[in-house]
Amino acid sequence: MAEKQRVLIVDDDANIAELISLYLTKECYETLIVYDGEEALRVFSEFKPNIILLDLMLPGIDGYQVCRELRTTSQVPIIMLSAKGEIFDKVLGLELGADDYMIKPFDSKELVARVKAVLRRYHAVPGVTDQRPGTDQQGDYVEFPGLIVNLTNYSVTYNGRSVEMPPKELELLYFLASSPNQVFTREQLLDHIWGYEYIGDTRTVDVHIKRLREKIKDNNNWALTTVWGIGYKFEVKR
């Protein structure tokens, strides 16, 4: 029997946390509920969750700080939960490394669907840190001087070193690099990477491009280019 996927639920509202746990347990997930940020950081290494549902407004260490701390050591998917629906809060959460953001109150079916969608995009890749240029690549990948993006095993190699990045960043980079010199609008990128049902703002794309540029610097042969007033492209220099 396949091992159950583990979900760490971090929310100081016991009723909401238990309701979320009930929904996910019915879908055959294993859940663990904690009610504050300190406890979330403490149990993370022993519970080893496959995904975290993280409320922002927590006593003590808030959800933003928990996300920031986790991202120093792990790329585990994180879905932020918040009653705050302002664009600023969403963008801040994404900049800190969250993979998705849901506004309370939310529909139980949507929550489960988002958990499944994020988990589908995330794969642990043993031994990725040992990957080197010239290694035989398998599956769906694109390769340019100094850059290999493999969508099959969710790995990125940049100038001979493995670069860790959340699934959405990797998918965005792969999508752009798969169509060099083609310009995509923010709306097109949202549709392709986040899906037509994604309820979000086009600034989500800007945030992920910014994070990609921090990890993948432009090369003499290629660059992540902004096309002002339109969107972005993976420019290959002739």
Side-chain angles (χ1 to χ4, degrees), residues 25-162:
T25 300
K26 286 182 178 179
E27 295 289 328
C28 296
Y29 291 98
E30 179 183 347
T31 66
L32 175 66
I33 299 172
V34 297
Y35 301 102
D36 60 69
E38 291 91 341
E39 183 72 359
L41 294 172
R42 189 185 70 79
V43 305
F44 173 75
S45 59
E46 49 190 76
F47 183 57
K48 295 182 173 60
N50 298 100
I51 190 169
I52 299 174
L53 302 182
L54 178 62
D55 184 40
L56 290 183
M57 305 304 290
L58 297 169
I61 300 177
D62 66 16
Y64 291 122
Q65 183 61 30
V66 172
C67 184
R68 185 182 292 112
E69 291 286 334
L70 289 172
R71 280 292 174 258
T72 63
T73 59
S74 173
Q75 294 298 325
V76 64
I78 296 173
I79 299 178
M80 285 188 167
L81 310 175
S82 177
K84 292 183 171 184
E86 290 80 5
I87 295 300
F88 170 80
D89 297 298
K90 294 180 184 179
V91 171
L92 178 57
L94 292 167
E95 285 185 330
L96 291 174
D99 296 274
D100 206 347
Y101 189 108
M102 293 192 68
I103 301 171
K104 297 179 180 180
F106 42 73
D107 181 78
S108 61
K109 291 181 180 179
E110 182 184 359
L111 174 66
V112 172
R114 295 230 189 168
V115 168
K116 289 180 178 179
V118 171
L119 283 172
R120 275 198 303 271
R121 297 183 180 105
Y122 182 84
H123 301 272
V125 186
V128 164
T129 53
D130 295 329
Q131 189 174 2
R132 293 291 181 269
T135 300
D136 291 337
Q137 296 289 315
Q138 297 181 348
D140 298 324
Y141 71 94
V142 290
E143 184 170 359
F144 296 90
L147 179 68
I148 303 172
V149 185
N150 191 313
L151 189 64
T152 299
N153 64 17
Y154 274 68
S155 66
V156 176
T157 304
Y158 173 64
N159 288 340
R161 301 179 66 85
S162 176

Side-chain angles (χ1 to χ4, degrees), residues 190-227:
L190 272 178
D191 288 343
H192 282 286
I193 308 302
W194 282 264
Y196 288 98
E197 297 180 357
Y198 178 76
I199 303 172
D201 188 90
T202 53
R203 294 184 209 182
T204 299
V205 176
D206 298 334
V207 170
H208 281 71
I209 291 289
K210 176 184 175 184
R211 281 157 49 179
L212 281 172
R213 284 172 170 161
E214 290 171 352
K215 299 174 183 179
I216 305 292
K217 307 298 182 184
D218 291 346
N219 184 280
N220 290 332
N221 300 284
W222 50 263
L224 277 173
T225 303
T226 301
V227 182

Side-chain angles (χ1 to χ4, degrees), residues 179-197:
S179 301
N181 296 321
Q182 182 173 341
V183 180
F184 294 95
T185 66
R186 291 170 176 81
E187 290 79 9
Q188 287 174 322
L189 293 172
L190 272 178
D191 288 343
H192 282 286
I193 308 302
W194 282 264
Y196 288 98
E197 297 180 357

